[in-house]
Amino acid sequence: MLRQLTLKDHFLEYRLFSNRAIVMLMFCSLLLVLLFSRLIYLQVIAHEHFTTLSEDNRVKLRAIAPSRGLIYDRNGIILAENLPSYRLEITAEQLDDIPATLTALEEIIHIRDTDRSRFEKLLKRKPRFEAVPLRFHLSDEEVARFSVNRHRFPGVDIQAGLARHYPLGKLGVHALGYVGRIDEQALKSLDSSNYSGTTHVGKTGVEKSYENLLHGTVGLEHVETTAQGRVLRVLKRTPPVPGNNLFLTLDSRLQADVERALADHAGSAIALDPKTGDILAMASLPGYDPNPFVNGIEYADYTALREDEREPLFNRALRGQYPPGSTVKPFIGLAGLEQGITGHNSSTYCPGFYTLPGSSRKFRDWKRTGHGTVRLDDAIAQSCDVYFYDLALSMGIGRIHDYLQQFGFGKRTGIDIQGELPGLLPSPEWKRARRGEPWFPGETIITGIGQGFFLSTPLQLAVATATLANRGQGIKPNIIHIEQRAGDSTLQPHLRGQNRSIAINDPAHWDAVIDSMIHVVHGERGTARRIGLDSPYRIAGKTGTAQVFGLKEEEKYDAEAIAEKLRDHALFISFAPVDDPQIVVAVIVENGGSGAAVAAPIARAIMDSYLVDKAS
Amino acid sequence: MRPRVPSSHMDASRRGWQYQLHIDAPLLFALIGVSTLGLMVLYSAGGEDAGLIQRQLARLGLAFAGMFAIAQITPQVLQRLTPWVFVTGILLLLAVLVMGEVSGGAQRWLDLYFVRFQPSEMMKLAVPMMVAWYLADARLPPNRYQLLAGGVIIVVPALMIAKQPDLGTSLLIASSGFFVLFLAGLQWRLLAFLTAVAAAATPLLWHFMHDYQRIRVITFLNPERDPLGAGYHIIQSKIAIGSGGLFGKGWLNGTQSQLDFLPERSTDFIFAVLGEEFGFIGILLLFAFYIFIVVRGILIATQAQDTFTRLLAGSLALTFFVYIIVNTGMVTGLLPVVGLPLPMISYGGTSIVTLMAGFGILMSIQTHRKLLPT
């Protein structure tokens, strides 16, 4: 009885349990369906999305900087190269005691406080497995000393990189320029992806102007990294394309001679080939050594350069704007001939001064006693001011302006180096717009001898002279001779631009002006006859002595009584040989005094170097 | 007391080696299968560290040995021991609360000088055993007073563990006790009422949570809120599983796992390593083993011959399933992050020993059955 009841209970309980177990199994199945729906979503439906996320996690891009193109002179002498540069790096995870290591390192390698603080800042930011630079640009001696002691410093390594170097130092620095570290300002104007691995960028000169050719194209490395950023392996590598090599039109031997000829003067000299517009030499003195700029010049050194009164950082060749003085006379003379205002034989009497009709104000000739009766040829050869006062007044400022503009005065020459200034070719319109004043006839008179508002850069003078030498064919000055693509042995001549030529009424006018310029050097009474005496080739030239003083001081000028800074600039423009012009030289010596005595001999030395020494 | 069954009724030799050795072969093979798969995944997750595998093997060896040992004990002995185990467990929990060692911000460990011991592990078995013991002689379905007493047996240790605080284990233990009550025939109406009370108590639960637990819940609701902080685990584990696709990236080739993007990949998040390297297929294989084990456990329960073993076996099987679903739900982003390992696969912990002890009980129940008269 009791047993039966128990069995009955047992059966009921079993049925109850089975029902409950089935309910639970169904509930479990429901949960499984949920879980597997989730898994199907993750692994099948959204699989690609998560694959992308996973790849983004794993693969990082690393930029490889291209090596910068080299710069040579026209004869293949290297001007800018990439030299190995060594830096000292410390990997924190391989070291136990960093301060002790630094102390020990200081015994063999010079570590400045700035190095140390930068290192410590970086150390905090970077993961422990990454090498942190402590010192850049170790000297060979330091590299050697460290190598001997290397066993004492596990976790400290020397890494080689490339650093820009200018083996010729100061030579031609204003044309060549230099590179410097990319600063935040530069970063804005650069293609950030192409420069992602690059540390340096051209700051001035050719290095800046041809940045796009010199830089090259960045390479990319697809690297696999851990979550902490440790690089495990390179998955794919697109090598960088090095920058193009450039052969400049500069002749470094001539450049050296130009700078030697300018000696200790502050000034500029430009030598160019009138046929092509190739800049053969472009000097601006004093100069500076570009090498310290590459890796950040010391602040004190930079301040010294900036505050130097002789302005070594100032590129006089392109940015120095000087009154051209008497060097404009051939151009004014040509304008007079072309416009029929003067002739070969029409003469002017020079009593040593000139007065405007109806005015008592005297415009002095540089020769107090006067040149007597002069024709155009004499006026250019002897640089008679009175002749050109008269001519300028007859022509009027409008025609002077329009004619001289054709020679490139008052506008940029378009040389392929950035930063050029346009000079100033004055006109009544300009004066009214800029100064709000009318144009006075006296200002026309002094414009005739390249004074007053008239300003010109040394390069403009050289380009205008080349146009004369070419008898009207304008040139566009250029600094690049040949380009060499990366990995390509073929040399590609750089395209030269040409300016339009000057239309002329009578070709004989060229001869007249050029002959008179020959007389400047080779004539009996030529202002620069001293440099013509023993010249093995014939030179056409024109001296200039430009007053630094303003207009109102003009009549009281006395060289002896004036401080050097206010003394006249000495100028000379020239080309040679006259029958087949191969070189144009323009020289400006700041506060040098007389163009004939100071600037002309420099030009002669430059031409000798190019025409005589080259031949021998 | 129920009538004693003479030992002559248990004619083990007639039913083969499983009954002689008190081993359930299907369960054993499934457990070996899961462990083998687990060791493979762990070898990859642990960065091919042979030492790690050795330690895990030792732990597994200990756990299997414990399982075999417990399987030799008859369910009747287990039933007699139950109240003593439960009371010891409660006393140990008290000891932990009074003088337990703080580890990871929570008091869970009792330092017994030679081994650090987690009394809450013991309660994972002791609670369902105690509830089943209490209901063993009752007429089922249980009446209200029996249910109330059962509730007290569950809630007291659960609250003590929650206080440590170890909310995950506490909920697991509570659910294992609940399964006993449910299988015993907890009335549906009462169940509905309890569910309603639980839902109403949720804000109260929030109030008692620690900050890190609240952050886990918030993170679960919106993992992108703090992708590098609290949400990082779940985001990276979803990427790992999702990028594994159908067939996986191959053993030892999971980039999320091998390159350190996946945190806790040897322990709580090892499921993501499986999903990444072996894909959906690998997960299916693991679940084939898991489901087999759960179903086998339920089957053992339905074949059990008395109330105590039936309820206990059923609860153990269902609790194992809860382990699986809570961990995989967490790793796939379906549930908030609770620090529960993936059973048999995750590295370390005493939980594997407890788990296998539970399977030992199942095997004991299955292999100590009497032959019923046909």
Side-chain angles (χ1 to χ4, degrees), chain B residues 173-194:
Chain B
I173 286 172
S175 64
S176 68
F178 164 80
F179 287 140
V180 178
L181 291 182
F182 180 81
L183 292 171
L186 174 67
Q187 286 81 358
W188 289 110
R189 265 193 299 178
L190 200 58
L191 183 63
F193 174 72
L194 286 175

Side-chain angles (χ1 to χ4, degrees), chain A residues 10 13-14 16-17 20 24 28 32 35-36 38-39 42-43 47 50 54 57-58 225-228 232, chain B residues 179 182 184 186 236 241-243 245 249 255-256 259-261 275 280 284 287 302 305 307 310 321 328 332:
Chain A
H10 186 89
E13 277 179 32
Y14 177 77
L16 179 65
F17 178 86
R20 289 303 170 100
M24 278 324 279
C28 290
L32 280 177
L35 178 72
F36 273 82
R38 176 67 166 179
L39 285 169
L42 289 175
Q43 299 198 291
H47 171 59
F50 286 112
S54 157
N57 263 348
R58 165 177 95 99
T225 64
T226 66
Q228 293 79 27
L232 299 179
Chain B
F179 287 140
F182 180 81
L186 174 67
Q236 293 304 332
I241 295 172
S243 65
K249 295 175 184 171
T255 56
Q256 286 287 105
L259 303 177
D260 290 351
F261 290 100
F280 189 68
L284 274 184
F287 269 87
T302 56
Q305 288 165 331
T307 307
R310 187 184 298 134
F321 182 79
T328 54
T332 52

Side-chain angles (χ1 to χ4, degrees), chain B residues 267-298:
Chain B
T267 53
D268 290 356
F269 280 80
I270 199 166
F271 184 66
V273 179
L274 174 82
E276 181 180 28
E277 298 193 346
F278 296 92
F280 189 68
I281 298 297
I283 291 176
L284 274 184
L285 178 66
L286 177 68
F287 269 87
F289 284 125
Y290 275 158
I291 292 168
F292 181 86
I293 290 169
V294 172
V295 169
R296 180 72 193 161
I298 298 288

Side-chain angles (χ1 to χ4, degrees), chain B residues 44-187:
Chain B
S44 173
E48 304 175 38
D49 178 357
L52 188 85
I53 295 300
Q54 275 174 17
R55 288 191 294 279
Q56 181 78 346
L57 263 175
R59 204 170 283 124
L60 276 170
L62 185 72
F64 270 90
M67 177 183 77
F68 290 137
I70 287 174
Q72 308 311 312
I73 306 171
T74 64
Q76 289 72 30
V77 172
L78 287 173
Q79 191 174 357
R80 275 203 302 273
L81 286 173
T82 296
W84 303 108
V85 174
F86 182 76
V87 169
T88 313
I90 293 283
L91 291 176
L92 286 172
L93 279 178
L94 268 174
V96 166
L97 285 179
V98 175
M99 54 187 224
E101 191 180 321
V102 174
S103 163
Q107 287 179 311
R108 296 177 190 176
W109 303 88
L110 199 60
D111 198 339
L112 296 183
Y113 298 103
F114 59 98
V115 63
R116 290 205 307 171
F117 177 72
Q118 248 180 315
S120 57
E121 284 298 327
M122 193 174 148
M123 295 310 274
K124 283 180 182 171
L125 294 176
V127 167
M129 281 167 79
M130 188 65 195
V131 181
W133 178 86
Y134 175 71
L135 295 176
D137 292 328
R139 282 186 56 158
L140 300 182
N143 59 37
R144 252 177 265 170
Y145 302 105
Q146 286 164 332
L147 284 173
L148 189 69
V152 170
I153 292 170
I154 296 165
V155 168
V156 169
L159 283 180
M160 289 171 87
I161 293 165
K163 192 92 176 47
Q164 287 181 353
D166 187 352
L167 200 60
T169 307
S170 167
L171 288 173
L172 267 180
I173 286 172
S175 64
S176 68
F178 164 80
F179 287 140
V180 178
L181 291 182
F182 180 81
L183 292 171
L186 174 67
Q187 286 81 358

Side-chain angles (χ1 to χ4, degrees), chain A residues 209-224:
Chain A
S209 305
Y210 281 94
E211 178 63 30
N212 58 338
L213 293 183
L214 289 165
H215 179 262
T217 310
V218 69
L220 278 182
E221 243 174 17
H222 296 247
V223 291
E224 188 175 79

Side-chain angles (χ1 to χ4, degrees), chain B residues 30 67 103 119 144 173 194 207 238 246 253 274 306 311 336 347:
Chain B
M67 177 183 77
S103 163
R144 252 177 265 170
I173 286 172
L194 286 175
H207 182 72
K238 274 159 64 183
L246 271 179
N253 284 329
L274 174 82
D306 60 47
L311 295 179
Y347 175 75

Side-chain angles (χ1 to χ4, degrees), chain A residues 107-124:
Chain A
E107 286 166 24
I108 54 168
I109 279 165
H110 179 58
I111 301 169
R112 289 179 294 192
D113 287 344
T114 49
D115 293 326
R116 192 187 265 267
S117 61
R118 182 193 50 216
F119 170 76
E120 278 160 5
K121 225 178 281 169
L122 277 175
L123 197 63
K124 275 181 215 140

Side-chain angles (χ1 to χ4, degrees), chain A residues 508-526:
Chain A
H509 292 156
W510 290 120
D511 299 328
V513 171
I514 289 170
D515 281 350
S516 60
M517 283 175 75
I518 296 169
H519 295 151
V520 170
V521 180
H522 299 285
E524 246 170 66
R525 304 179 71 182

